[in-house]
Amino acid sequence: MKHLETLIQDGGDISIGPIGGAPCVAAAADAHNAIAMIVRNEGETLGALLRRLDRAVGRFYDHDEITDEINGP
């Protein structure tokens, strides 16, 4: 999970828990903004959720694309 490691080394953070009406969300933020909020799918393992979060953080680093499954497009 190289992107999550880079994020944390650069002073960012991740959190996992309920947000809004979603019972489980993995979120990643840098020092200024939320860069990814991923809703855990039914039956999805914690490891799979973290891998999806890592890919979303990678998309932010590579394409400046924020992933937000909470607030929609």
Side-chain angles (χ1 to χ4, degrees):
M1 290 185 222
K2 68 179 183 175
H3 301 296
L4 293 180
E5 289 182 25
T6 299
L7 174 73
I8 292 168
Q9 288 174 349
D10 290 345
D13 62 79
I14 62 171
S15 61
I16 300 172
I19 295 178
C24 187
V25 173
D30 63 13
H32 306 286
N33 300 300
I35 59 175
M37 291 188 288
I38 305 294
V39 177
R40 187 177 189 182
N41 296 318
E42 187 174 331
E44 184 175 33
T45 66
L46 183 57
L49 178 65
L50 289 174
R51 285 188 295 278
R52 283 200 307 128
L53 183 64
D54 185 68
R55 288 191 301 270
V57 170
R59 283 192 301 274
F60 177 77
Y61 285 150
D62 294 342
H63 306 288
D64 207 31
E65 177 185 332
I66 294 173
T67 302
D68 184 349
E69 295 182 358
I70 298 294
N71 298 304

